[in-house]
């Protein structure tokens, strides 16, 4: 799956042990082609005390994490691997390394919808989450959420009941299931989907990690559906991440008397699309409602000639890095990355090593 | 209260016995200053068989209605009366005569919000209607609705509980209370507000009258709030009327699993403002939330010099008809009427006899 040698993974694992506030820079430098090992050394030297003990501590912890991953059947998936989810690669701060427990292929499923919401959900919130996830999953939509109590786990359960694929993003190591009562659900998800984390295996759950984790939930998805978010719900952080990442935000309305929906209604007030049924979500994603997306694409329709600044700036078969594409297309990275992601999903562009992209003229 | 003589009222009552599809023409001609009696004779002659028996039948029925109104303490309020609600006068097809049971002054209360919704409302719908109406009424907002089962009567009850003024618009004569179990509520409303109808006293309730009645509910209001409207709810007719009349439409969200809110959610999807609390409504009406609107206006602030095409086309103390204002201001009647209504509410313009308006430079 990966062309990386062990040393590269150790360097990437070392990078992922650095502070989250450095991640944006790390992503940018990796994308620009800087090798992980030299980037790690440079950042530590520039921003910290570059003493040998500290390097050794991080190196040892990275190696131990990789050992633990191997023992726990967890695959470390580097940012530049072709199996790394393109939607996540397109955000400004993707994890340099994603730890995947279960099927790496599950992460390739398309399209992806995130369903998030209250931990202390009402029976109504749970029922809506389970129904929406089930209906979407039955039509081939992959459901991503956070395995939390309440809406998250209801969404995972609904997706499994709908016969679909579902992925959980944790705020702990992929082998540390929290809350503990979700152990059975997690086992089923590992068999039929995946549990992923940017935190090294064995990392205990930490409430401070959850907001940071939320950017991955939205980053994996084309759209985030919020159910029963209160006024200060963590789901609103996921919604904000989604907006920053150029993803759609949708919200399910509910009772106005309980306060349980103030956050979701606030999103509606701010322009989020209103969701009553799975069809509303499919429509927003411009996917035809009522069609099973799992069916083969219709190949009889010839593709229209692309008239697109990004495509026009690429020559088929000639890999090009972000700076060059930005210069040729005239788009800054905030607009360029989502567009490249779309083109990649459409099979018109492929990511290759060294943070470069190549145009594919005939998708196969 | 009214400067009309009995013969004028008979003519207006006669006009109100004509088919509803004629009402728009009737309103336009009355506004243009055509006397009710000649208009009645002309319309019947042009559109019907103008035989003396028919005239006599209508005349007798009009006289009997006025007699019945007197006996039942119902005031016939002509369109051109200064007490006729200006918001209602501004719609394209206001009733030529509004039959008012209770306080004609109640109709002068400002601002007015209509609350409408499902007859077969859930406890949630009833609770929301009662709470919103109560909170608005407590802040001096007049609540208008249709006295129907469900949301309508909950809104009236809430307004009364909030110590406010509330008005019901019926699809029957103002003295024919339907459903019968609302007799006690109706009595209280007559004491503390009003029950109005465009149908002559004694008219039995007729489901075919309800859609037509709904234009009066929205016509009286600055905003219509929809609670628990299903997919084919009559409340959606009221919402459509409101939009045609240039009034705001707001909707309360709710459960997506029951189907009870599909109509209300459809309105939200189409751009209606979402309502959770009375403050949301006050905000939409540009009324400061949390302020009791009943307080006296602050007279210390000098009024700004008006820069307004309609005001500029009027000279203080010189009554002017609609055609002349339209010509001078360059506004067609669809834009002119709501603007005149606003100016009237602001006390800058006053309606006088013969469908004319006069500018008032210093509101008293």
């Amino acid at each position: 799956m990966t062309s990386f040698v062990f040393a590269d993974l150790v360097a990437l694992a070392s990078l992922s042990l650095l502070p989250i506030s450095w991640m944006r820079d790390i992503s940018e430098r990796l994308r620009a082609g800087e090798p992980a090992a030299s980037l790690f050394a440079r950042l530590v030297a520039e921003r910290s005390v570059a003493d040998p003990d500290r390097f050794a501590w991080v190196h040892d912890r990275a190696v131990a994490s990789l050992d633990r991953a191997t023992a726990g059947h967890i695959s470390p998936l580097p940012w530049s691997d072709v199996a790394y989810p393109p939607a996540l690669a397109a955000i400004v701060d993707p994890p340099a390394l994603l730890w995947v427990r279960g099927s790496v292929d599950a992460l390739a499923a398309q399209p992806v919808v995130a369903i998030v919401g209250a931990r202390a959900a009402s029976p109504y919130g749970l029922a809506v989450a389970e129904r929406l996830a089930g209906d979407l999953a039955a039509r081939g939509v992959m459901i991503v959420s956070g395995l939390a109590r309440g809406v998250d786990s209801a969404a995972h359960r609904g997706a499994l009941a709908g016969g679909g694929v579902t992925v959980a993003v944790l705020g702990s190591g992929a082998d540390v299931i929290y809350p503990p009562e979700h152990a059975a659900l997690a086992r089923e998800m590992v068999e039929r989907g995946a549990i992923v984390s940017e935190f090294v295996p064995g990392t205990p759950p930490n409430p401070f990690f959850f907001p940071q984790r939320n950017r991955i939930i939205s980053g994996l998805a084309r759209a985030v559906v919020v159910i029963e978010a209160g006024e200060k719900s963590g789901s609103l952080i996921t919604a904000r991440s989604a907006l920053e990442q150029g993803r759609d935000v949708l919200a399910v309305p509910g009772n106005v008397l309980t306060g349980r929906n103030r956050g979701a209604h606030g999103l509606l007030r701010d322009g989020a699309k209103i969701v009553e049924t799975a069809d509303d979500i499919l429509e927003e994603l411009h996917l035809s409602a009522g069609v099973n997306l799992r069916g083969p694409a219709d190949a009889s329709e010839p593709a229209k000639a692309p008239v697109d600044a990004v495509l026009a700036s690429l020559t088929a078969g000639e890999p090009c890095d972000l700076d060059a594409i930005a210069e040729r297309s005239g788009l800054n990275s905030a607009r360029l990355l989502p567009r490249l992601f779309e083109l990649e999903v459409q099979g018109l562009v492929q990511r290759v090593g060294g943070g470069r992209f190549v145009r594919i003229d005939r998708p196969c």
Side-chain angles (χ1 to χ4, degrees), chain A:
Chain A
M1 177 74 48
T2 168
S3 57
F4 275 74
V5 296
F6 189 68
D8 292 315
L9 284 175
V10 173
L12 284 169
S14 302
L15 282 173
S16 69
L17 291 164
L18 296 178
I20 181 70
S21 56
W22 301 13
M23 289 303 157
R24 194 172 284 220
D25 285 343
I26 291 172
S27 299
E28 278 176 12
R29 296 315 308 161
L30 288 174
R31 274 199 184 108
E34 184 165 352
S38 68
L39 174 59
F40 175 74
R42 190 169 62 76
L43 283 175
V44 174
E46 282 171 17
R47 304 185 178 189
S48 177
V49 184
D51 72 290
D53 282 357
R54 189 167 299 206
F55 279 117
W57 179 86
V58 173
H59 178 271
D60 290 352
R61 205 167 156 219
V63 170
S65 299
L66 287 164
D67 287 345
R68 186 172 169 138
T70 305
H73 305 288
I74 295 172
S75 312
L77 185 62
W79 178 84
S80 55
D81 194 291
V82 290
Y84 195 94
L88 186 60
I91 72 174
V92 296
D93 48 2
L97 206 54
L98 198 62
W99 305 86
V100 183
R101 194 171 150 215
S103 159
V104 171
D105 290 342
L107 291 171
Q110 284 293 340
V112 180
V113 168
I115 297 181
V116 296
R119 285 180 170 71
S122 73
Y124 168 71
L126 298 176
V128 174
E130 201 157 341
R131 179 186 291 199
L132 288 179
D135 289 350
L136 289 173
R139 287 163 178 181
V141 176
M142 195 266 261
I143 303 297
V144 61
S145 193
L147 201 72
R149 291 191 178 99
V151 164
D152 284 20
S153 48
H156 292 307
R157 286 199 175 91
L160 292 171
V165 176
T166 181
V167 167
V169 184
L170 303 194
S172 54
D175 54 350
V176 182
I177 299 306
Y178 180 84
E181 68 263 34
H182 288 170
L185 173 61
R187 271 195 301 277
E188 198 177 348
M189 290 185 66
V190 167
E191 275 167 31
R192 293 177 48 193
I195 289 177
V196 305
S197 176
E198 70 180 311
F199 303 107
V200 298
T203 306
N206 182 332
F208 290 104
F209 290 168
F210 292 135
Q212 155 177 358
R213 179 272 310 262
N214 291 353
R215 84 185 195 289
I216 304 180
I217 293 179
S218 56
L220 283 166
R222 270 174 67 174
V224 172
V225 179
V226 177
I227 301 174
E228 277 201 349
E231 215 154 0
K232 296 184 175 183
S233 167
S235 310
L236 300 181
I237 297 174
T238 314
R240 199 168 55 228
S241 290
L243 292 174
E244 286 168 5
Q245 294 163 353
R247 314 298 160 89
D248 290 319
V249 174
L250 304 92
V252 175
N255 196 309
V256 299
L257 299 176
T258 61
R260 285 179 184 285
N261 296 293
R262 287 199 72 84
H265 292 158
L267 293 173
L268 292 176
R269 195 170 278 123
D270 292 343
K273 289 286 153 34
I274 188 169
V275 172
E276 294 187 284
T277 66
D279 284 348
D280 296 326
I281 302 166
L282 294 172
E283 204 172 275
E284 183 63 14
L285 296 176
H286 307 295
L287 302 170
S288 57
V291 168
N292 191 323
L293 303 166
R294 288 175 183 155
D298 185 355
S300 63
E301 189 86 355
K304 283 188 190 161
V307 186
D308 179 279
V310 176
L311 274 186
S313 69
L314 289 166
T315 308
E318 190 181 288
C320 202
D321 71 16
L322 273 183
D323 289 344
I325 304 173
E327 198 185 312
R328 291 188 202 170
S329 67
L331 295 176
N332 61 26
S333 64
R335 295 186 55 198
L336 184 55
L337 288 171
R339 183 61 194 140
L340 278 168
F341 155 56
E342 284 171 10
L343 292 170
E344 194 169 1
V345 168
Q346 290 166 21
L348 297 170
V349 156
Q350 191 180 329
R351 229 152 6 91
V352 292
R356 289 174 305 164
F357 292 81
V358 63
R359 175 171 169 175
I360 303 162
D361 261 0
R362 287 229 152 263
C364 43

